Amino acid sequence: MVTGTRTLFSGSELESAHDGVSSTPRRLSDNGPSAMMNGGLTAHFPDDLRDVRDSLNGDGDAYTRLVERHQGRVTDRMWRFTRDRFQHRELVQEVFVQAFLSLPTYRGDAPFEHWIARISTRVGYRFWKKNERERPTYHVPIDELEGLATSEPEALDPASAAETLHNLLGLLPPRDRLVLVLRYVEDRSVEETAGLTGWTQTMVKVQAWRARAKLKKLLQNSGLEVDR
Amino acid sequence: MNEVEILRKLAASASREAVPPVEVSSRVFADLVRPNEDMSRPLVWVAAVSGALAAPMAALALLTLDAWGNPMVELMWFLDWMLL
């Protein structure tokens, strides 16, 4: 199945590292920039390099290991793109299929996790674009938003908050939605957002500004008081 | 609250949500094999159409041959008639 024979990495790069894959439900907060800062995303880098190389040499088990190692974070990420369990599983699967097909383009100069995050973002964005016609069926969740100012995040039910957030962002076109998710929901920098979307940093800033203005207008039109 | 604060507050709470676990490693490979089947499908159709067209052509050829008799004998008769 895998026919690539390109040698990507030297043997010295392929040091062993521990494998901490967990199949238990994980929290979205494990997936943010903080995890990247503390090295959580790069802990498997040597294993990833070896498995990418072996996958390209036709070792199917190596790609299975890559999938098993990264599907937790991809699962978390794709949950932001849909809250339908069937679609969610399809999206996660699509990410790894696309990653496999693009594997020869992985240069190994950045962690595999970062590379697959870009693919996840692209797959999710395409999914939103494909389902854009469903957008008008959403409505501003006024009831859920009204009490927000006075309550602490810890006091909110996580699933309800995630549902409200999903519905609120679902009112916006995919480009606006994507930039708001990356910049303000995942709390990524302009540089990171540009890296994930393939946009320039200026484009990210402009798109974020426009998206914020659209969201603000939507909220105001629904009768919600929004500060400057 | 402004629109970003609303997003951040909802996101802070939503980050505590337990995401349903997904296991896709076996399905990924099933999906990766499928494009190969898709690629071979047009060839299967070409083979089927060729076969379907070849069968009546073979039958027609047999009928013509049968009606014509032995082409060599017919040819010899023709040459014989021309020469004599």
Side-chain angles (χ1 to χ4, degrees):
Chain A
M1 183 162 34
V2 188
T3 54
T5 55
R6 188 161 62 101
T7 304
L8 292 172
F9 321 108
S10 66
S12 60
E13 289 176 290
L14 306 176
E15 296 163 10
S16 63
H18 70 281
D19 190 342
V21 179
S22 167
S23 61
T24 53
R26 298 168 63 253
R27 292 187 173 157
L28 293 173
S29 53
D30 298 340
N31 192 28
S34 57
M36 207 183 315
M37 295 297 285
N38 67 20
L41 298 181
T42 56
H44 301 296
F45 194 28
D47 285 345
D48 289 343
L49 289 175
R50 187 185 58 227
D51 286 337
V52 167
R53 184 198 59 194
D54 292 348
S55 297
L56 287 168
N57 285 329
D59 182 355
D61 291 341
Y63 195 66
T64 301
R65 286 194 296 274
L66 276 171
V67 173
E68 286 173 350
R69 198 176 298 132
H70 292 279
Q71 69 182 349
R73 287 198 177 94
V74 172
T75 296
D76 289 353
R77 195 171 298 118
M78 302 323 283
W79 191 238
R80 299 198 203 285
F81 290 93
T82 180
R83 293 186 64 77
D84 179 285
R85 285 186 177 221
F86 176 76
Q87 288 177 336
H88 177 232
R89 191 183 63 188
E90 294 288 310
L91 283 178
V92 175
Q93 187 179 326
E94 179 64 14
V95 168
F96 285 107
V97 169
Q98 291 298 319
F100 183 84
L101 297 175
S102 306
L103 211 54
T105 67
Y106 176 60
R107 296 196 305 270
D109 50 7
F112 185 78
E113 174 61 32
H114 296 182
W115 184 74
I116 208 159
R118 280 201 296 275
I119 292 176
S120 308
T121 304
R122 203 164 57 221
V123 167
Y125 179 59
R126 264 206 310 259
F127 170 76
W128 275 347
K129 286 197 73 150
K130 196 176 148 196
N131 294 286
E132 201 177 353
R133 286 183 187 172
E134 292 177 16
R135 193 155 51 89
T137 61
Y138 290 119
H139 60 91
V140 176
I142 292 292
D143 293 342
E144 291 89 336
L145 294 176
E146 272 179 344
L148 203 63
T150 53
S151 51
E152 289 300 313
E154 294 77 24
L156 301 169
D157 173 50
S160 302
E163 186 81 31
T164 303
L165 185 63
H166 185 79
N167 290 345
L168 181 62
L169 291 171
L171 294 161
L172 297 167
R175 280 177 81 88
D176 299 326
R177 198 174 178 183
L178 183 65
V179 77
L180 290 179
V181 165
L182 294 174
R183 288 283 290 119
Y184 306 116
V185 175
E186 295 188 5
D187 210 20
R188 293 184 185 272
S189 67
V190 170
E191 189 184 357
E192 283 174 328
T193 305
L196 287 169
T197 55
W199 303 340
T200 62
Q201 292 191 27
T202 308
M203 173 69 93
V204 169
K205 287 177 193 170
V206 170
Q207 194 68 46
W209 184 82
R210 283 182 186 159
R212 281 183 61 173
K214 281 185 196 173
L215 180 61
K216 186 174 184 176
K217 196 174 176 184
L218 269 171
L219 294 169
Q220 285 173 333
N221 288 347
S222 305
L224 210 74
E225 281 186 30
V226 184
D227 298 339
R228 287 175 63 95
Chain B
M1 288 179 87
N2 67 22
E3 66 282 357
V4 170
E5 287 167 338
I6 289 172
L7 289 180
R8 286 197 164 131
K9 205 160 197 177
L10 286 170
S13 179
S15 67
R16 292 184 287 116
E17 184 187 27
V19 176
V22 172
E23 167 56 51
V24 293
S25 53
S26 57
R27 291 169 58 92
V28 166
F29 278 97
D31 209 14
L32 283 168
V33 170
R34 206 182 306 152
N36 293 335
E37 290 170 358
D38 291 342
M39 281 171 70
S40 64
R41 197 165 293 158
L43 292 175
V44 171
W45 277 106
V46 167
V49 170
S50 302
L53 288 173
M57 290 306 287
L60 191 66
L62 278 171
L63 285 172
T64 308
L65 186 69
D66 193 39
W68 197 8
N70 190 330
M72 288 304 289
V73 172
E74 296 270 342
L75 186 64
M76 293 305 287
W77 281 351
F78 177 73
L79 289 172
D80 193 33
W81 181 79
M82 288 291 285
L83 291 172
L84 296 175

